[in-house]
Amino acid sequence: MKDSKKFKISRKALQSLIDLLKEQGYKTIGPKVSKNAILYDEIETLEDFPIGIGDEQEAGRYRLKKNPYPTLFGFASSPHSWKRFLFLAQEKIFTFRLPPDKTGRPSIDPPKEEPTPLAFIGVRSCDLHALAIQDRIFRQGPFPHSGYNLRAQGLFILAVNCTHPSATCFCSSMGTGPRAKNGFDLLLTEIAGPGTDPYYVIEPGSEKGKELLAKVEKEDASKEDLNKEEESLREAEQNITRRLDTQGIKELLYNNLNHPRWEQTAQRCLSCANCTFVCPTCFCSTLIDVPQAANVVERWMVWDSCFTLEFTHTPSGSVRKTVLSRYRQWMTHKLASWIDQFGTSGCVGCGRCISWCPVGIDITEEAAIIRKTSPLEIPS
């Protein structure tokens, strides 16, 4: 919705929005503190949120910290991404049954799924772009994913402008943040500071969002409110110092498949797959058959990773036997061949792969080193 009007709401009104979504049958998902991290899970009230809690992130490092104000969204990316609610880590594809007496015909029965509609509370711009990428893969491609499509139908997104980026964020150089521009039903900016309770500048991004917002107490955002919002976003943009130079990135990687940096990085890489599991766009999976009885087998799709040795297993063995080949495959797919496949980069600059790499491998640093030491001229 272009040129939508902005309003100011209190924390009480934000709770009313969540209550209304629950009354309409949505399962509300938002941030909460669990296992020494801020994770996304089902929330009932704002008391479930990480009130006044933020995070500190660097390469291979994550920890919680106390914020100076009682913010609800005073943190950066979570080790969870929203894909886990749409592209499930484990999903039954069908049940295969042989007839007990072997005279009838075998049956293949897909699961009967009637998912509860989901409302995501607190989606940042980088993750809005990631959701759009996954939609392109699972809903708009030639082979749509039926389970994903079911769960994504009717999804309500209450997004939040990111005003607390971490040191590992590089969304600005990817064109994916920190400001959210589309892909949401409602968009919040949290305003917090000394001498005032946190409040929210909010705007609708869809008719569905506009209708919901009409039901809660609000007032027109003042010029001062809009100035505070703009100041918060400008400060966030200034705080994002990591960069990934995307100019000619596809050609850079394609033309440097034998660059010595791959071997140097492979000596550090544990091939643990952390980067792919925390990534909001990675979608590698495999199929496993699980016997349930003598005549019943369930087929499940489970998350997998291009970092696992068995992922490219064929009758003659694994296609990518070395850590070097697997790391190179991940990075070149993410930043290069993904563009050929889907018309966009597979990276949204959220920085999760940097924070959650046990040895602190930094995709922005790796790309910069290859660019700086490339023996080939990369087209502009």
Side-chain angles (χ1 to χ4, degrees), residues 259-269 323-324 327 359 361 366 369-370 373:
H259 195 286
R261 184 62 184 180
W262 298 117
E263 178 60 40
Q264 295 165 12
T265 305
Q267 289 175 7
R268 297 169 57 205
C269 178
V323 174
L324 183 157
Y327 180 81
V359 295
I361 295 172
E366 299 305 310
I369 290 173
I370 292 175
T373 57

Side-chain angles (χ1 to χ4, degrees), residues 26 83 95 178 255-256 346 364:
Y26 285 94
K83 76 176 181 183
T95 302
N255 291 335
N256 283 281
T364 67

Side-chain angles (χ1 to χ4, degrees), residues 297-317:
V297 174
E298 292 179 349
R299 175 157 291 180
W300 287 73
M301 185 177 72
V302 300
W303 284 4
D304 204 344
S305 171
C306 55
F307 277 94
T308 63
L309 183 63
E310 292 297 312
F311 184 67
T312 57
H313 184 78
T314 67
S316 60

